[in-house]
Amino acid sequence: RCEEGDAFGERSLHSTHDEPRAATAKADEDTVLYYLEKKLFLQLLGPGVELMEIEERIRTLKSIDRLFSSLAEKHLDSIARAMTEIYCNQGDIICRKGEAGDAFYVIKKGAVQVMAPSFFPSSSSSGKSSQRIAATLSPGAFFGETALLSDDGKAKREADVYASKNDTILLKLQRADFDSLLGSLGNLKEVLQRESERRSADLRKAVHSRFSGIINTV
């Protein structure tokens, strides 16, 4: 319960992007409120907006267990500043199977789908109709880690990845930035290597399952 002099709704000001309300607020009696529109707040903040964006990225990185959560604050700040934000809508392709991988992605908002390879030509122009969803990834998840692990920088994408929601926001880290910022952190690379191997195994299982299903229907 909020009393005279209290404030609420501040969460909306802590993000440079629109976020859904976490709760419903109702007046218990006749009440006079002062409110500050987010647009005006950001204008007043000026250069501080960039700092807010960096803090948002750091919070997202910290939410990834076993990967960035244990890094020193200076490393998290450097990674956050090196990342760029990518905006996608539902159906937008982010990675295509067979392309050279040169970046790593963290989902800040929205969701993406990792598609298992198809055995037959697609009947749609999008190329998705004959594919199977191998995984759906939500905020705090990451993908594209194989691009960071290749010694020669020529790793190929293993699957198509599409945005599955409108207003999806991704944090993108180029391989060159990763190498210069974190290449010496062996523990981080070990975690990425294990995750990459696990995901490759899951993708192979998804492909095998689809192939078995096709054989059983013949």
Side-chain angles (χ1 to χ4, degrees):
R1 178 183 174 86
C2 295
E3 305 290 348
E4 183 176 344
D6 291 338
F8 61 93
E10 67 280 358
R11 179 178 175 181
S12 66
L13 302 181
H14 292 169
S15 171
T16 54
H17 307 289
D18 292 334
E19 298 287 346
R21 293 292 188 186
T24 300
K26 294 183 178 180
D28 286 342
E29 56 188 67
D30 292 343
T31 306
V32 177
L33 301 173
Y34 295 101
Y35 73 95
L36 177 63
E37 292 184 347
K38 183 173 183 176
K39 182 178 180 180
L40 177 58
F41 173 78
L42 293 177
Q43 289 176 347
L44 293 172
L45 194 60
V49 173
E50 181 181 359
L51 295 177
M52 285 181 61
E53 291 177 344
I54 297 300
E55 286 300 318
E56 283 184 54
R57 295 176 193 176
I58 289 175
R59 285 196 296 271
T60 300
L61 295 176
K62 285 182 175 179
S63 71
I64 306 176
D65 292 336
R66 304 184 309 279
L67 190 57
F68 295 115
S69 58
S70 61
L71 289 183
E73 198 72 23
K74 64 178 182 179
H75 288 133
L76 288 171
D77 183 79
S78 296
I79 297 169
R81 291 178 184 277
M83 285 178 150
T84 55
E85 295 194 359
I86 307 297
Y87 300 86
C88 308
N89 285 317
Q90 184 175 8
D92 288 351
I93 187 163
I94 302 159
C95 300
R96 197 177 289 278
K97 184 179 184 295
E99 289 182 341
D102 63 351
F104 166 79
Y105 298 88
V106 174
I107 303 172
K108 180 179 178 181
K109 179 184 176 183
V112 306
Q113 290 177 337
V114 181
M115 311 300 292
S118 171
F119 291 98
F120 300 103
S122 172
S123 60
S124 76
S125 59
S126 69
K128 293 174 62 178
S129 64
S130 63
Q131 292 182 315
R132 171 177 178 164
I133 299 173
T136 298
L137 306 179
S138 302
F142 60 89
F143 59 96
E145 66 280 355
T146 303
L148 306 183
L149 299 170
S150 170
D151 291 333
D152 59 8
K154 297 180 180 179
K156 301 295 184 182
R157 299 296 189 191
E158 295 184 338
D160 291 346
V161 181
Y162 292 85
S164 56
K165 288 185 177 180
N166 287 330
D167 301 320
T168 290
I169 303 175
L170 307 174
L171 301 180
K172 180 179 180 181
L173 181 66
Q174 296 290 150
R175 175 191 166 94
D177 291 323
F178 175 84
D179 287 341
S180 63
L181 293 170
L182 298 170
S184 61
L185 297 180
N187 290 341
L188 182 61
K189 281 203 167 186
E190 288 177 8
V191 174
L192 282 173
Q193 184 65 52
R194 289 195 297 270
E195 183 64 18
S196 179
E197 292 171 355
R198 183 188 68 79
R199 294 188 184 194
S200 293
D202 288 345
L203 187 59
R204 287 193 296 271
K205 287 179 182 178
V207 173
H208 177 73
S209 175
R210 177 172 175 79
F211 183 74
S212 297
I214 293 172
I215 295 299
N216 291 335
T217 59
V218 174

